[in-house]
């Protein structure tokens, strides 16, 4: 028996299906219904080749298929399809991935990925541990192939407005942590935020991420009002990244019109998570992640690479967490030291280790959105370009008003990724510029793509 056959699922009982509904509303309704009826189902990003990257599906056992169909019809759930999860042929061959000189065990893990076999923690560590140039090339190429198959060649350019640098927490790594001194704090008003959102619309951006420290000054009502105004006055979709809030808040923000929420696990290893976050509880963080999904959001998570005390095993746990929690948007960046924090003297995360983590996350999670982060663009002048050829497909422009940007240095010397920088990275990586950016705007700015 070849290695490939050995790893393929053999028994019918092991097979799984996914249900695609016609809207988030129906998908959540179906999820609740299956739960109530005792059918094991899990919300997941639509698998490769089924639906677009930001579709959610419900995965369940094939043996439950007829029961699921019966239930969703009986309860009037509007659904599109049920697919049997089979090993699909790759649209793009991986032959040249194996042309590099690879050690047998490294090659075997890549073959498992090609054959859709789930990786163990040990497998992931093998990929992350390599220092060999050829093995890295093979890994990045495979990740780039999966990226192409799942989300295409176009880079999605989005914008982030960092609207407040007040924070009630003291995360050890963060440059806007509560007890950091000599940091002028700012809060943007609703009108100031709207002005930036409208500028983004003029540029042709389609998604705004609203990010801040954990700042309770922005009450539920205030945030709801801002979301509603953006939805009413512009065409943009709203992603939130404002830290931990209550379950009710998540629901209210979703109802108000935001459809995605970024709350990073930062480290999925319990011990490391607890040492980094004096104000947080590991189990609660995971619970928040579940609440977000249950509220209907596309959920974003991710980690930092190169944190003090972090091992390759910890990073493998991060990747398995992203898979297990069916995360839709994965943000991975190097740890960077920040002045005025306990970690100021610590070395920054390694560029190539960060790229390996990005590549493996793409290979394991597949149909997801992944930014080439500001942090990797800060670590190395070509970091963003390299991330784009190792599995990522999104760039976040910093749309915080220039005069405030110095106040949102979550790490030192943060790159103020603007459209010009993004164009450079997209060009260097040989990827497609997004069609949604307005040519008139580019011309006005003297930018060429
Ligand atoms: N308060 C919000 C937003 C946090 S800032 C929240 O808690 O979700 C956004 C991200 O920046 C964090 O999730 C973290 O992953 C990253 N970050 C913070 N400090 C960093 C540092 N020193 N180096 C690298 N990334 C950092």
């Amino acid at each position: 028996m070849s290695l490939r056959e050995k790893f393929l699922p053999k028994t019918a009982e092991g097979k799984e299906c996914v249900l695609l509904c016609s809207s988030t509303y129906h998908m959540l309704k179906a999820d609740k219904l299956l739960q109530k009826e005792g059918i094991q189902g899990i919300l997941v990003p639509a698998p490769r080749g089924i639906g677009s990257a930001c579709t959610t599906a419900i995965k369940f056992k094939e043996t439950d298929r007829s029961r699921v169909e019966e239930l969703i019809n009986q309860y009037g759930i509007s659904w599109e399809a049920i697919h049997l999860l089979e090993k699909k042929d790759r649209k793009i061959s991986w032959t040249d991935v194996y042309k590099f000189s690879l050690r047998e065990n490294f090659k075997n893990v890549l073959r498992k990925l090609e054959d859709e076999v789930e990786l163990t923690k040990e497998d992931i560590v093998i990929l992350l541990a390599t220092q060999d140039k050829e093995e890295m090339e093979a890994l990045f190429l495979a990740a780039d192939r999966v990226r192409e198959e799942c989300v295409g060649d176009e880079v999605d350019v989005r914008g982030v407005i960092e609207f407040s640098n007040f924070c009630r927490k003291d995360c050890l790594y963060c440059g806007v942590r509560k007890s950091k001194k000599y940091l002028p704090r700012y809060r943007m008003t609703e009108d100031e935020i709207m002005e930036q959102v409208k500028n983004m619309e003029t540029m042709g951006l389609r998604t705004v991420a609203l990010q801040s420290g954990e700042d309770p000054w922005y009450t539920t009502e205030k945030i709801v009002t801002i979301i509603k105004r953006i939805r009413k006055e512009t065409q943009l979709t709203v992603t939130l990244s404002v830290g931990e809030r209550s379950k009710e808040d998540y629901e209210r923000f979703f109802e108000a019109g935001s459809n995605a929420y970024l709350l990073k696990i930062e480290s999925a290893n319990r011990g490391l998570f607890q040492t980094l976050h004096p104000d947080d509880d590991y189990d609660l963080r995971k619970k928040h992640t579940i609440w977000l999904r249950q509220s209907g959001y596309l959920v974003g998570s991710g980690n930092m690479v190169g944190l003090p005390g972090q091992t390759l095993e910890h990073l493998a746990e991060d990747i398995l967490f992203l898979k297990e929690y069916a995360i839709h948007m994965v943000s991975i960046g190097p740890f960077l030291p920040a002045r005025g924090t306990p970690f100021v003297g610590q070395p920054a995360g390694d560029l190539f280790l960060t790229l390996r983590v990005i590549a493996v996350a793409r290979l394991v999670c597949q149909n997801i959105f992944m930014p080439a982060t500001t942090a990797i663009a800060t670590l190395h002048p070509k970091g963003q370009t390299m991330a784009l050829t190792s599995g990522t497909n999104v760039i976040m422009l910093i749309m915080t008003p220039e005069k405030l940007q110095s106040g949102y240095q979550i790490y030192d010397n943060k790159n103020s990724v603007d459209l010009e920088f993004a164009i450079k990275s997209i060009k260097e990586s040989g990827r497609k510029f997004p069609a949604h950016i307005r040519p008139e705007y580019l011309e006005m700015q003297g930018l060429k793509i």
Side-chain angles (χ1 to χ4, degrees):
M1 204 191 317
S2 78
L3 191 82
R4 289 160 153 246
E5 281 161 335
K6 208 163 92 193
F7 282 114
L8 284 175
K10 277 160 278 177
T11 54
E13 305 93 75
K15 288 195 178 161
E16 290 173 310
C17 292
V18 285
L19 164 68
L20 292 187
C21 293
S22 50
S23 68
T24 307
Y25 170 78
H26 283 280
M27 188 260 307
L28 290 174
K29 219 169 119 180
D31 184 47
K32 283 211 182 95
L33 175 64
L34 299 194
Q35 262 180 41
K36 203 180 97 217
E37 297 291 327
I39 294 175
Q40 255 187 20
I42 171 170
L43 296 172
V44 297
R48 180 174 68 89
I50 300 172
S52 64
C54 279
T55 313
T56 307
I58 303 177
K59 190 163 88 175
F60 57 90
K61 291 204 188 74
E62 199 208 359
T63 44
D64 288 329
R65 183 173 183 157
S66 48
R67 181 90 185 103
V68 168
E69 258 191 76
E70 198 180 304
L71 281 167
I72 52 181
N73 287 331
Q74 188 184 337
Y75 285 83
I77 284 162
S78 164
W79 57 286
E80 283 172 4
I82 293 180
H83 295 272
L84 179 65
L85 285 180
E86 291 172 300
K87 175 183 147 16
K88 274 189 229 56
D89 288 332
R90 299 253 161 218
K91 280 200 207 119
I92 313 161
S93 150
W94 279 28
T95 327
D96 49 355
V97 170
Y98 303 111
K99 285 200 178 127
F100 294 97
S101 142
L102 310 171
R103 286 165 304 160
E104 206 51 38
N105 63 347
F106 195 89
K107 196 190 283 180
N108 288 345
V109 182
L110 287 181
R111 288 229 190 265
K112 272 180 138 181
L113 282 165
E114 189 183 8
D115 288 340
E116 311 274 341
V117 177
E118 280 191 20
L119 299 194
T120 63
K121 192 162 140 183
E122 292 69 35
D123 292 333
I124 295 179
V125 169
I126 290 175
L127 298 180
L128 296 182
T130 188
Q131 304 275 347
D132 181 79
K133 198 167 165 292
E134 300 240 344
E135 289 184 343
M136 281 197 246
E137 295 280 352
L139 181 67
F140 299 153
L141 183 61
D144 200 45
R145 291 284 152 81
V146 172
R147 185 271 309 152
E148 187 181 344
E149 255 183 59
C150 293
V151 291
D153 281 333
E154 201 172 275
V155 176
D156 196 339
V157 177
R158 304 174 169 197
V160 57
I161 302 175
E162 298 142 332
F163 64 91
S164 162
N165 69 350
F166 280 84
C167 193
R168 65 190 173 102
K169 288 189 176 165
D170 249 334
C171 307
L172 265 60
Y173 46 81
C174 185
V176 301
R177 67 201 295 267
K178 180 175 76 184
S179 51
K180 174 156 168 172
K181 297 200 180 73
Y182 316 113
L183 175 67
R185 304 276 173 170
Y186 69 85
R187 289 186 174 113
M188 286 172 70
T189 65
E190 198 185 302
D191 285 338
E192 284 171 329
I193 295 173
M194 282 314 296
E195 192 184 322
Q196 285 308 91
V197 176
K198 286 185 179 160
N199 288 338
M200 291 172 65
E201 190 168 49
T202 311
M203 293 167 74
L205 300 184
R206 296 189 301 199
T207 301
V208 55
L210 298 178
Q211 189 175 92
S212 68
E214 291 202 10
D215 185 2
W217 184 87
Y218 291 88
T219 56
T220 315
E221 293 312 320
K222 282 196 180 104
I223 295 185
V224 163
T225 309
I226 294 167
I227 298 168
K228 282 191 176 158
R229 268 192 76 181
I230 298 176
R231 299 295 292 154
K232 191 160 163 251
E233 296 175 33
T234 75
Q235 300 283 318
L236 273 74
T237 61
V238 182
T239 298
L240 292 176
S241 171
V242 298
E244 291 180 7
R245 306 281 297 209
S246 68
K247 190 165 187 282
E248 291 69 38
D249 274 4
Y250 296 146
E251 286 162 6
R252 293 277 310 277
F253 301 157
F254 186 79
E255 280 160 27
S258 77
N259 71 328
Y261 202 111
L262 176 64
L263 182 74
K264 291 174 69 172
I265 190 77
E266 316 294 1
S267 168
N269 175 269
R270 182 183 295 273
L272 185 57
F273 181 96
Q274 288 303 166
T275 58
L276 300 171
H277 302 109
D279 309 290
D280 286 328
D281 177 75
Y282 177 75
D283 293 310
L284 189 60
R285 188 72 164 193
K286 285 184 154 177
K287 207 178 258 173
H288 277 270
T289 309
I290 292 172
W291 287 342
L292 286 167
R293 200 171 52 208
Q294 288 171 342
S295 309
Y297 291 99
L298 298 169
V299 183
S301 189
N303 66 350
M304 280 170 279
V305 179
L307 286 161
Q310 191 181 46
T311 64
L312 294 182
E313 280 76 16
H314 293 161
L315 291 166
E317 287 170 32
D318 294 346
I319 293 168
L320 289 172
F321 165 86
L322 299 170
K323 172 84 178 167
E324 186 190 337
Y325 279 69
I327 299 300
H328 274 96
M329 305 178 298
V330 172
S331 169
I332 295 170
F335 156 76
L336 297 167
R339 269 188 292 276
T341 69
F343 286 169
V344 62
Q346 299 288 337
D350 178 75
L351 174 66
F352 282 95
L353 177 58
T354 308
L355 292 168
R356 292 197 293 280
V357 178
I358 288 173
V360 179
R362 167 63 75 187
L363 287 162
V364 168
C365 302
Q366 303 203 12
N367 204 4
I368 52 168
F369 268 47
M370 229 196 325
T373 54
T374 310
I376 203 164
T378 303
L379 180 66
H380 191 278
K382 294 265 184 283
Q384 192 165 59
T385 305
M386 291 160 103
L388 285 175
T389 54
S390 312
T392 68
N393 72 310
V394 180
I395 293 180
M396 303 291 296
L397 306 181
I398 309 283
M399 293 302 298
T400 308
E402 245 171 73
K403 62 176 197 302
L404 298 178
Q405 286 188 16
S406 62
Y408 206 83
Q409 298 277 314
I410 44 183
Y411 38 79
D412 295 343
N413 313 312
K414 183 159 145 256
N415 187 317
S416 60
V417 176
D418 58 12
L419 197 52
E420 191 176 354
F421 189 86
I423 291 173
K424 183 175 80 72
S425 301
I426 296 172
K427 268 191 196 155
E428 283 172 354
S429 65
R431 298 281 292 285
K432 270 202 202 119
F433 194 74
H436 57 81
I437 303 285
R438 296 226 168 90
E440 311 91 83
Y441 180 84
L442 291 170
E443 206 170 308
M444 205 173 76
Q445 299 294 312
L447 296 171
K448 282 210 179 65
I449 55 168

